[in-house]
Amino acid sequence: FMQLEMEAAYIDEEFIYEMIEDVVAGMFGVAGIALPRPFPRMTYDEAIATTGSDRPDLRFGLRFVAATDIFKKTEYSIFKQVLKRGGHIIGINVKGQSEALSKNVLQNEYAKQIVPEMGGKGMTWMRVSEGRLDSNIVQFFTAAEQAAILERFGCEDGDVLMMIADPSYRVTTSVLGQLRLHVARRLTLIPENVYCPLWVTDFPLFDPTEEGGVTSTHHPFTSPDRTDFDPKNVEELLTLKSRAYDIVLNGEELGGGSIRINNMTLQNKIFAALGL
């Protein structure tokens, strides 16, 4: 194992991005692999909202589809209870895989066994046949809800919809992210000899604590994206982003870092926010 550690002064993120891209592209070039430049970038929020991971594997699709608003007036009891608690309903469309994902596999393997092992309470699934949704729960959805599902997920015959619903956004995205990878591996949807580098940016600066305060997502020396915040306002603190970044390749984090705080007044505000 070899690690490259870089410390630099009087620079910004763009300096880091360019230098690290040179290094990574250079290493792959030795093996005759050309990486696309510049590397694409994705914010932490977008990564979680579309893949359920802060180190997304972009070699295949299965991007998340937000469906919470479709069911805001639903009478389907499971969704109704989740939404009553401020929850979320998010899904993926596994295109053209209805034959590979039978009703038995979807219900008895995924819904009853695999998803609970991933931390979910269950999974809602539907298949698309002759332009209609097919599942043992479709009867509980109104015609308008069914039409909205077909449109939102871009459904075609042979597609399979898999949805996770939970009161916690973090649980919903985490479980669906694990499910996304499981399905892709099971159905061999991940192409070989393809490399998708990515910068993940704008991580949260703070995470909430059970005591009602905040703790550093990374460490207390990471620069925030702005300095005009009230260190006593927890709600505001949780909206701050950090000037941190990770370099990700095919779902693996290769490295990461951040712009450090170099101003004493700002550092003291961060310490005050943390109760130090």
Side-chain angles (χ1 to χ4, degrees), residues 57-260:
D57 191 338
L58 302 185
R59 289 175 293 174
F60 62 99
L62 296 184
R63 301 299 177 88
F64 292 2
V65 178
T68 307
D69 61 302
I70 293 176
F71 303 102
K72 58 188 176 183
K73 295 181 180 179
T74 191
E75 291 302 314
Y76 179 48
S77 61
I78 293 176
F79 284 1
K80 193 173 184 177
Q81 291 301 316
V82 166
L83 295 181
K84 193 177 289 185
R85 297 170 62 188
H88 300 265
I89 303 165
I90 309 174
I92 55 175
N93 182 352
V94 191
K95 302 291 294 181
Q97 295 290 340
S98 187
E99 288 190 14
L101 296 171
S102 65
K103 291 183 179 181
N104 181 57
V105 167
L106 290 166
Q107 185 61 31
N108 294 324
E109 287 190 42
Y110 278 105
K112 291 185 177 180
Q113 182 180 348
I114 296 173
V115 167
E117 289 175 354
M118 293 174 173
K121 295 179 178 66
M123 182 190 79
T124 297
W125 59 269
M126 288 169 270
R127 302 198 298 173
V128 184
S129 177
E130 298 181 357
R132 300 170 63 86
L133 295 172
D134 176 32
S135 172
N136 56 356
I137 60 161
V138 170
Q139 58 184 313
F140 300 113
F141 297 136
T142 65
E145 287 171 340
Q146 293 183 44
I149 293 168
L150 289 167
E151 181 181 0
R152 178 73 57 84
F153 283 82
C155 293
E156 300 173 305
D157 285 355
D159 291 354
V160 178
L161 307 185
M162 305 170 92
M163 296 186 196
I164 301 295
D166 196 274
S168 164
Y169 178 72
R170 182 168 290 190
V171 170
T172 308
T173 54
S174 172
V175 172
L176 192 59
Q178 296 173 70
L179 185 61
R180 172 182 182 264
L181 290 172
H182 192 287
V183 169
R185 290 167 182 152
R186 178 177 188 144
L187 302 177
T188 60
L189 301 179
I190 305 175
E192 295 183 3
N193 302 316
V194 171
Y195 302 92
C196 296
L198 173 74
W199 286 106
V200 179
T201 67
D202 299 298
F203 286 82
L205 188 70
F206 294 114
D207 288 327
T209 64
E210 292 182 0
E211 296 76 27
V214 298
T215 183
S216 293
T217 301
H218 290 97
H219 51 66
F221 315 110
T222 303
S223 289
D225 61 342
R226 59 188 181 87
T227 60
D228 59 340
F229 59 88
D230 178 357
K232 296 179 182 178
N233 186 333
V234 172
E235 190 173 330
E236 182 183 16
L237 294 176
L238 291 173
T239 68
L240 296 177
K241 304 299 183 185
S242 65
R243 294 179 64 185
Y245 36 79
D246 281 352
I247 179 75
V248 174
L249 184 87
N250 293 2
E252 297 291 342
E253 177 191 330
L254 298 187
S258 66
I259 302 298
R260 302 291 199 264

Side-chain angles (χ1 to χ4, degrees), residues 8-82:
Y10 311 110
I11 52 92
D12 60 11
E13 292 89 332
E14 296 301 327
F15 177 93
I16 299 290
Y17 297 154
E18 184 174 353
M19 178 171 285
I20 295 301
E21 287 186 22
D22 282 345
V23 172
V24 174
M27 288 192 293
F28 274 77
V30 171
I33 299 167
L35 295 181
R37 297 282 304 275
F39 295 172
R41 302 175 191 178
M42 182 182 289
T43 66
Y44 170 88
D45 287 345
E46 182 185 354
I48 296 298
T50 59
T51 71
S53 172
D54 60 4
R55 51 182 195 282
D57 191 338
L58 302 185
R59 289 175 293 174
F60 62 99
L62 296 184
R63 301 299 177 88
F64 292 2
V65 178
T68 307
D69 61 302
I70 293 176
F71 303 102
K72 58 188 176 183
K73 295 181 180 179
T74 191
E75 291 302 314
Y76 179 48
S77 61
I78 293 176
F79 284 1
K80 193 173 184 177
Q81 291 301 316
V82 166

